[in-house]
Amino acid sequence: MKSDCAIELRNITKRFGKVVANDGINLSIRSGEILAILGENGSGKTTLMNMISGIYYPDEGEIFVQGEPVTIRSPRDAFPLGIGMIHQHFKLVDVLTAAENIVLGLPGPTRLDIAKVATKINQLTHKYGFELDPFKKIYEMSVSEKQTVEIVKMLYRGAKILILDEPTAVLTPQETERLFDVLRNMRADGNAIVIITHKLNEVLELSDRVAVLRKGKYIGTVNTAEATVASLTEMMVGKRVELNIERSEPVNPVKRLEMKDVSCVNPEGVITLNHASFTLNGGEILGIAGVAGSGQRELLEAIAGLTPVESGEIEYYPPERQAQDLTKLSAVEINHLGVKLSFVPEDRLGMGLVGPMDMVDNMMIRSYRKGGSFWVDRRSPRTLAEHIISELEVSTPGVSTPVGKLSGGNVQKVLVGREIASNPIVLMVAYPVRGLDINSSYTIYHLLNEQKRHGVAVLCVGEDLDVLLDLCDRILVMCGGRITGVVDARTATKEEIGMLMMQDGRSDNR
């Protein structure tokens, strides 16, 4: 008899050396439901799903599919069982079409009947409500189109159990709603859908049940209809968490930075920032919204002196001093001017921290140009490192542990803490809570608000529009390297911002 339980996990345990990532997990996933998996960073969510999809193999426990015990040692074992996982980072070949990517690696005749493949793809997309051109090249597609290809690729292979890791992280609100409609259609067709996400509002809107993990252990599963943001947070963290972002009004905002008609071009000759203009004031948080790759990174790196400016000007207005032109200066030259720009980049270990070095040495990086004291005085950096560990609850054996051995979320805490501690006049942060659990995220939000109250000009690139609307005073929206609008965060809506994220703006937007 066929079970309505699509997958059942019994006492699943996975270890990586001395670290127990999953500890005796018991979990069921039903056919015809959407199950959300929640947990703090490092709670074992992705590891657990990777065992279902065949990327990892459990050290202990059993997996049952449709009531039958199975062995899944690789994705090749998972596909015949109807299991497919869509990862955050897509696994597509850019120069091939959607249809070619969908059938890539499948057994079949030597000569591919692409018309027949396209017909089957169109049947799938029509059935579930996707929009996809089978003959379109991947490099011509938007992020949401690429995600559609990944999902259809799994459905084409016969998947009835789909696992999606952070599926809305890089989508506009409109694209997110379209994805939700498709997932609901798939649920109605009897598919089992699992989503891993940090966005609690989306969990409450989309899922039927929510399973919570904490520090590698299974805490429980609740019906979504009976859950709230507060109750789910308490299950994840193990205690009540204050989830209010106390946004204050800007007091006496003073211009600190102005970008005037700035354009940047990458080494391949592609325009990455296109005639961007805006003003940033002290005592405010200016958010930057846009789908991934819209020019957010290039905008911040141009200000920090890490990306050459092709044309335009960047003016910095320090307190009680004349304006400084940053346009043609390198990061080193900006530092010599005494300009206080604190920059938390997307690439934590590549640009922000040195992985093999411990926390004390990474604290000292900020001041190593000051002279001889760098080599003899480790007390202040050690005190700062210990303070960051305490305040941000960094999980580490000690300040002497190389930061490269910490989890992604803890690396993020170290970097954000160090940059804020440098007493900046302009603080630029890119995805400051990426990889952090909700408790740590709200700690960072409060720290950014403290900087604002101290008169710091904060420029914050974010991916969660709900947070940007609650945290920021204004939101600058980007699409295709252009600034498509600047809106008041207190009155704007997600739908309004979503429309700006999808249009090719040409206004000045000062």
Side-chain angles (χ1 to χ4, degrees), residues 367-441:
S367 57
Y368 81 100
R369 296 183 190 278
K370 292 183 180 178
S373 64
F374 168 81
W375 301 106
V376 296
D377 181 15
R378 292 175 61 90
R379 287 173 296 179
S380 296
R382 177 176 289 274
T383 300
L384 175 58
E386 291 170 346
H387 178 73
I388 290 173
I389 289 173
S390 173
E391 289 296 308
L392 299 185
E393 298 180 353
V394 177
S395 180
T396 174
V399 295
S400 299
T401 300
V403 297
K405 293 188 176 180
L406 304 182
S407 71
N410 286 303
V411 168
Q412 175 73 338
K413 292 178 187 179
V414 173
L415 181 54
V416 173
R418 186 194 69 184
E419 296 304 299
I420 288 177
S422 69
N423 298 315
I425 293 171
V426 175
L427 174 64
M428 300 190 296
V429 292
Y431 310 107
V433 299
R434 178 178 282 174
L436 298 187
D437 56 74
I438 193 165
N439 192 27
S440 301
S441 296

Side-chain angles (χ1 to χ4, degrees), residues 168 170-180 199 202 205 289-291 463-466 469 493-502:
T168 66
V170 292
L171 302 184
T172 67
Q174 289 82 357
E175 290 169 338
T176 295
E177 196 51 51
R178 284 200 295 271
L179 173 64
F180 285 1
K199 299 181 180 180
E202 293 182 356
E205 178 185 348
V291 297
E463 58 192 3
D464 189 330
L465 292 186
D466 288 309
L469 287 168
T493 65
K494 284 204 298 183
E495 289 71 27
E496 178 185 353
I497 295 173
M499 291 299 295
L500 290 169
M501 288 167 69
M502 295 189 291

Side-chain angles (χ1 to χ4, degrees), residues 196-462:
I196 304 172
T197 181
H198 287 98
K199 299 181 180 180
L200 296 184
N201 291 330
E202 293 182 356
V203 169
L204 294 173
E205 178 185 348
L206 179 66
S207 67
D208 300 295
R209 294 190 302 147
V210 186
V212 178
L213 303 183
R214 188 196 311 150
K215 296 180 180 179
K217 293 183 179 291
Y218 172 68
I219 301 304
T221 300
V222 297
N223 294 323
T224 306
E226 301 166 2
T228 64
V229 169
S231 68
L232 293 176
T233 301
E234 189 169 347
M235 285 184 72
M236 284 192 293
V237 180
K239 61 183 179 181
R240 285 192 174 275
V241 178
E242 181 59 53
L243 297 179
N244 294 323
I245 299 177
E246 297 178 1
R247 174 174 53 193
S248 59
E249 291 287 341
V251 178
N252 300 323
V254 178
K255 181 164 65 174
R256 288 286 175 242
L257 193 76
E258 186 173 13
M259 181 173 279
K260 304 176 182 178
D261 204 35
V262 169
S263 294
C264 296
V265 179
N266 69 15
E268 288 74 39
V270 177
I271 298 174
T272 54
L273 197 61
N274 200 340
H275 299 286
S277 300
F278 74 94
T279 298
L280 174 64
N281 300 314
E284 79 164 351
I285 300 178
L286 176 61
I288 302 181
V291 297
S294 293
Q296 305 98 311
R297 175 174 179 168
E298 288 77 12
L299 185 145
L300 265 60
E301 290 184 358
I303 297 171
L306 300 171
T307 291
V309 172
E310 184 78 8
S311 62
E313 298 178 350
I314 302 173
E315 296 283 334
Y316 167 66
Y317 298 84
E320 302 174 358
R321 287 173 58 191
Q322 289 186 337
Q324 300 279 357
D325 184 1
L326 308 183
T327 311
K328 298 296 182 182
L329 302 184
S330 68
V332 173
E333 290 168 327
I334 290 174
N335 182 71
H336 284 162
L337 279 176
V339 177
K340 292 189 176 181
L341 293 176
S342 288
F343 181 46
V344 180
E346 288 181 80
D347 185 3
R348 315 300 176 206
L349 290 176
M351 294 174 61
L353 299 169
V354 181
M357 290 168 57
D358 64 22
M359 281 188 64
V360 175
D361 289 338
N362 272 287
M363 296 303 110
M364 294 167 69
I365 288 175
R366 259 288 168 195
S367 57
Y368 81 100
R369 296 183 190 278
K370 292 183 180 178
S373 64
F374 168 81
W375 301 106
V376 296
D377 181 15
R378 292 175 61 90
R379 287 173 296 179
S380 296
R382 177 176 289 274
T383 300
L384 175 58
E386 291 170 346
H387 178 73
I388 290 173
I389 289 173
S390 173
E391 289 296 308
L392 299 185
E393 298 180 353
V394 177
S395 180
T396 174
V399 295
S400 299
T401 300
V403 297
K405 293 188 176 180
L406 304 182
S407 71
N410 286 303
V411 168
Q412 175 73 338
K413 292 178 187 179
V414 173
L415 181 54
V416 173
R418 186 194 69 184
E419 296 304 299
I420 288 177
S422 69
N423 298 315
I425 293 171
V426 175
L427 174 64
M428 300 190 296
V429 292
Y431 310 107
V433 299
R434 178 178 282 174
L436 298 187
D437 56 74
I438 193 165
N439 192 27
S440 301
S441 296
Y442 275 82
T443 300
I444 298 298
Y445 302 149
H446 295 321
L447 287 173
L448 294 179
N449 264 321
E450 268 191 40
Q451 293 296 298
K452 168 187 166 180
R453 285 191 288 271
H454 292 155
V456 175
V458 181
L459 195 59
C460 176
V461 179

Side-chain angles (χ1 to χ4, degrees), residues 33 97 273 331 355 481 507-508:
E33 80 162 352
T97 65
L273 197 61
S507 59
D508 186 62

Side-chain angles (χ1 to χ4, degrees), residues 51-58 70-78:
M51 282 188 281
I52 295 175
S53 62
I55 295 174
Y56 296 145
Y57 186 74
V70 297
T71 299
I72 307 174
R73 295 186 178 274
S74 72
R76 190 178 293 273
D77 294 331

